[in-house]
């Protein structure tokens, strides 16, 4: 039987929501091992001069405990 844990991570990117999600996984994987999945909970963006300035995601990362 596996025991899984879920953490919530906020990340941002100047490129895209996909890039922000990748950033969240890369940062989390530095301290969390056995990541199994990511769920994008929310997406938002900031706007500057009529253009998207920053993409933001709130993700839930699931990992297996040893």
């Amino acid at each position: 039987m596996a025991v899984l844990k879920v953490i919530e991570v906020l990340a941002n990117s100047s490129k895209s929501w996909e890039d922000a999600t990748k950033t969240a996984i890369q940062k989390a994987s530095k301290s969390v091992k056995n990541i199994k999945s990511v769920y994008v909970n929310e997406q938002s963006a900031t706007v500057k001069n009529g253009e998207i300035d920053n993409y933001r995601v709130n993700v839930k990362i699931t990992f297996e405990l040893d």
Side-chain angles (χ1 to χ4, degrees), residues 2-35:
V3 176
L4 303 175
K5 185 171 183 173
V6 178
I7 59 172
E8 195 167 339
V9 176
L10 305 174
N12 62 342
S13 167
S14 60
K15 296 178 185 177
S16 67
W17 284 296
E18 182 179 351
D19 190 58
T21 303
K22 288 179 183 179
T23 299
I25 292 296
Q26 289 169 349
K27 294 282 186 178
S29 68
K30 290 181 181 180
S31 60
V32 175
K33 304 300 177 214
N34 301 322
I35 294 176

Side-chain angles (χ1 to χ4, degrees), residues 6-64:
V6 178
I7 59 172
E8 195 167 339
V9 176
L10 305 174
N12 62 342
S13 167
S14 60
K15 296 178 185 177
S16 67
W17 284 296
E18 182 179 351
D19 190 58
T21 303
K22 288 179 183 179
T23 299
I25 292 296
Q26 289 169 349
K27 294 282 186 178
S29 68
K30 290 181 181 180
S31 60
V32 175
K33 304 300 177 214
N34 301 322
I35 294 176
K36 300 297 182 187
S37 66
V38 61
Y39 170 76
V40 179
N41 195 35
E42 291 181 19
Q43 296 176 318
S44 64
T46 58
V47 177
K48 187 175 185 179
N49 298 324
E51 298 287 330
I52 292 180
D53 180 49
N54 208 352
Y55 298 86
R56 296 176 177 172
V57 292
N58 176 332
V59 299
K60 292 186 178 185
I61 296 174
T62 304
F63 60 98
E64 186 174 346

